């Protein structure tokens, strides 16, 4: 696999400004037909000297609209400079993080993981209807009990039913028997086509689904399915810690992946990433988007080109090896914390390739959780609380929590 190289600050600056120069310039050119412009000049700096060293802020102010999908067909020519950066970003994520062949994927920067998951389910719903004559009631979203609630949202918006496969209480893992049992129930209800969503790190546990659990059972039963990977949490983490996984485009059964740069990549909000093998994006085409050059294949419509630029800048600042090192540091902290909890006999879940540690609620009080900003699985009656090892969550911050947990344990035992 080719590993992307890091770029210097100056190289990044030059590249982004060169892209902006190839976009339309609302200040100097005749652009009379679009309901778009630079950010309001009474409110936002337009030419402060520091902006020359601030490619992301400059992009925000010039305000390119990345409406549509730029990896297929044509796109709005007004913003072709920064669209090129988005295309490069999509290729980088698909090919260098998720093992796709060159030019094998389409994709775009979505508003977030929710939209990217909806986009995938929307596409497969339309695929089953168009290609296999499916009715809405024949189609089922198949995911796990630990899947993100955006799957429920997608089911509601797209008028589809959803079946959640239970996971084991302690290992948070799926089983073939569990998938088979859920599948039998759904077949009995008349479901024939399955939109499967496999997790690459769940939101609450950081657990990862074994894709074969779904695909082996579905293939045995001769059920048509499409497999989407929800890597909103883990997409920029797990591929850098576990080389052996199956949730990438090198696995022919995977047809699309969601990533979220506004989680582990610390990009601004509005930086979900949707990636899909070529040949599917067309099922989400809205031909009636006739005033948009190249039409629209996305859920969102207008969106800021600055988001793509922000993600690209971060990934280029690190390079592949720099990114791997950054993740390595988070792994060290997670391993340390998990080891300490283990020694104290504090029951918790941790996937060894993930930076989430989820502690059984009997080991802490709500006041401890509140003081350390821990997040429960359900606010009403928590069974688990999670700790997420982000850049700001250093061991110095974990030590006081550990002390509190030890003290609480002694009180309970005593
Ligand atoms: C956060 C998350 C989402 C939703 O992402 P948003 O960016 O909040 O829309 C979807 N799936 C998983 C696994 C997540 O962790």
């Amino acid at each position: 696999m080719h590993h992307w190289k890091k770029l210097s600050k100056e190289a990044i600056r030059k590249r982004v400004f060169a892209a902006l120069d190839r976009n339309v310039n609302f200040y100097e050119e005749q652009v009379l037909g679009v309901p778009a412009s630079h950010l309001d000049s009474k409110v936002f700096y337009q030419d402060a000297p520091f902006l020359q060293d601030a490619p992301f802020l400059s992009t925000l102010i010039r305000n390119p609209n990345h409406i549509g999908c730029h990896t297929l067909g044509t796109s709005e020519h007004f913003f072709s400079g920064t669209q090129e950066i988005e295309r490069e970003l999509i290729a980088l994520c698909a090919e260098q993080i998720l093992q796709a062949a060159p030019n094998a994927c389409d994709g775009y920067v979505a508003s977030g993981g929710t939209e990217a998951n909806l986009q995938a389910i929307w596409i497969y719903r339309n695929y089953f209807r168009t290609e296999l004559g499916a009715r809405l009631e024949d189609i089922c979203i198949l995911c796990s009990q630990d899947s993100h609630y955006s799957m429920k949202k997608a089911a509601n918006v797209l008028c589809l039913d959803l079946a959640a496969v239970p996971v084991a209480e302690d290992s948070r893992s799926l089983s073939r028997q569990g998938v088979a049992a859920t599948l039998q129930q759904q077949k009995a209800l008349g479901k024939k086509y399955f939109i499967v969503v496999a997790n690459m790190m769940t939101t609450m546990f950081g657990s990862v689904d074994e894709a074969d659990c779904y695909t082996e059972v579905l293939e045995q039963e001769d059920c048509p399915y499409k497999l989407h990977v929800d890597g909103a949490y883990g997409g920029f983490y797990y591929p850098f810690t576990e080389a052996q996984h199956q949730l990438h485009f090198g696995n022919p059964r995977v047809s699309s992946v969601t990533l979220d740069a506004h989680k582990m990549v610390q990009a601004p909000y509005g930086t979900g990433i949707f990636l899909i093998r070529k040949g599917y994006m067309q099922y989400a085409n809205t031909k009636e988007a006739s005033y948009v050059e190249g039409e629209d294949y996305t859920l969102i419509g207008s969106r800021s080109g600055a988001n793509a630029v922000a993600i690209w800048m971060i990934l280029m600042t690190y390079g592949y090896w720099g990114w791997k090192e950054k993740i390595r540091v988070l792994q060290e902290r997670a391993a340390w914390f998990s080891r300490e909890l283990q020694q104290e006999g504090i029951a918790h879940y941790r996937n060894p390739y993930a930076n989430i540690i989820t502690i059984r609620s009997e080991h802490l009080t709500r006041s401890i959780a509140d003081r350390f900003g821990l997040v429960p699985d359900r606010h009403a009656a928590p069974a688990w609380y999670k700790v997420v090892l982000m850049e700001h969550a250093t061991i110095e911050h974990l030590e006081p929590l550990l002390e509190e947990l030890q003290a609480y344990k002694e009180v309970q035992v005593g």
Side-chain angles (χ1 to χ4, degrees), residues 336-348 359 363 398-399 401-413:
W336 177 86
F337 192 51
S338 178
R339 228 170 18 241
E340 295 289 319
L341 292 175
Q342 186 80 35
Q343 276 168 18
E344 292 300 323
I346 294 170
H348 65 283
I359 303 170
H363 293 289
L398 295 171
E399 278 173 329
L401 170 61
L402 195 62
E403 282 164 24
E404 295 254 5
L405 294 174
Q406 286 164 337
Y408 184 62
K409 182 134 210 273
E410 276 160 32
V411 173
Q412 281 178 307
V413 174

Side-chain angles (χ1 to χ4, degrees), residues 212-232:
D212 290 352
C213 275
Y214 287 115
T215 58
E216 279 180 21
V217 174
L218 285 156
E219 286 171 23
Q220 230 158 33
E221 296 283 322
D222 265 335
C223 292
Y225 72 87
K226 290 290 160 198
L227 175 59
H228 173 70
V229 173
D230 183 3

Side-chain angles (χ1 to χ4, degrees), residues 112-114 117 148 150 201 203 230 232-233 260 262-263:
T114 298
N117 287 337
H148 187 263
S150 50
M201 288 175 68
T203 315
D230 183 3
Y233 210 112
D260 234 349
H262 56 222
K263 286 186 174 161

Side-chain angles (χ1 to χ4, degrees), residues 2-305:
H2 175 71
H3 292 142
W4 82 93
K5 296 267 188 295
K6 67 186 274 179
L7 294 180
S8 68
K9 245 190 167 52
E10 182 53 18
I12 289 171
R13 193 187 74 85
K14 280 204 173 116
R15 176 69 205 284
V16 174
F17 279 104
L20 287 173
D21 284 345
R22 289 186 25 241
N23 282 5
V24 71
N25 187 327
F26 292 116
Y27 307 95
E28 291 162 15
E29 294 167 37
Q30 300 277 14
V31 196
L32 305 179
V34 289
S37 189
H38 48 74
L39 292 189
D40 189 291
S41 62
K42 285 203 175 56
V43 181
F44 302 101
Y45 293 107
Q46 302 291 314
D47 49 14
F50 69 84
L51 288 173
Q52 287 168 12
D53 297 314
F56 170 67
L57 286 180
S58 293
T59 311
L60 263 185
I61 290 160
R62 305 259 200 116
N63 206 21
N65 184 354
H66 277 201
I67 190 168
C69 175
H70 313 310
T71 58
L72 83 175
T74 54
S75 293
E76 290 287 358
H77 68 282
F78 299 115
F79 309 108
S80 59
T82 46
Q83 285 166 3
E84 182 61 35
I85 289 184
E86 177 165 325
R87 258 195 299 281
E88 194 179 312
L89 167 73
I90 294 298
L92 187 157
C93 293
E95 295 163 23
Q96 301 189 36
I97 300 179
L98 294 161
Q99 305 184 30
N103 301 313
C105 288
D106 287 315
Y108 72 99
V109 175
S111 56
T114 298
E115 183 195 329
N117 287 337
L118 257 82
Q119 177 82 20
I121 295 170
W122 184 34
I123 286 175
Y124 300 137
R125 186 196 75 161
N126 291 355
Y127 166 84
F128 284 130
R129 292 173 94 181
T130 311
E131 300 299 331
L132 303 176
R135 300 167 307 166
L136 288 182
E137 57 268 34
D138 301 332
I139 306 171
C140 179
I141 301 170
L142 194 60
C143 58
S144 100
Q145 175 195 344
D146 284 345
S147 287
H148 187 263
Y149 70 85
S150 50
M151 266 38 93
K152 288 268 167 65
K153 212 181 253 188
N156 186 270
V157 171
L158 295 165
C159 297
L160 297 174
D161 287 319
L162 178 151
V165 180
V167 299
E169 176 63 19
D170 289 325
S171 69
R172 311 312 297 180
S173 60
L174 295 165
S175 68
R176 281 164 182 72
Q177 299 89 301
V179 172
T182 306
L183 188 63
Q184 289 315 327
Q185 286 161 10
Q186 293 306 313
K187 282 175 75 174
L189 291 169
K191 303 299 177 204
K192 298 190 184 75
Y193 309 98
F194 295 86
I195 299 172
V196 181
V197 182
N199 290 301
M200 185 196 282
M201 288 175 68
T202 55
T203 315
M204 192 63 209
F205 295 94
S207 50
V208 175
D209 294 335
E210 196 189 325
D212 290 352
C213 275
Y214 287 115
T215 58
E216 279 180 21
V217 174
L218 285 156
E219 286 171 23
Q220 230 158 33
E221 296 283 322
D222 265 335
C223 292
Y225 72 87
K226 290 290 160 198
L227 175 59
H228 173 70
V229 173
D230 183 3
Y233 210 112
F236 286 103
Y237 197 99
Y238 194 71
F240 297 88
T241 56
E242 167 57 307
Q244 304 303 320
H245 72 103
Q246 284 299 303
L247 302 173
H248 55 69
F249 292 108
N251 175 355
R253 292 176 172 85
V254 169
S255 26
S256 55
V257 181
T258 288
L259 306 175
D260 234 349
H262 56 222
K263 286 186 174 161
M264 292 309 143
V265 183
Q266 295 168 260
Y269 288 104
T271 51
I273 298 177
F274 177 68
L275 303 169
I276 189 162
R277 284 185 199 280
K278 284 211 177 276
Y280 288 103
M281 203 68 193
Q282 288 78 353
Y283 292 98
N285 186 15
T286 305
K287 292 202 175 56
E288 293 77 3
S290 52
Y291 73 79
V292 181
E293 193 178 347
E295 301 176 350
D296 190 3
Y297 296 80
T298 69
L299 266 178
I300 187 173
S302 294
R303 58 193 174 88
S304 173

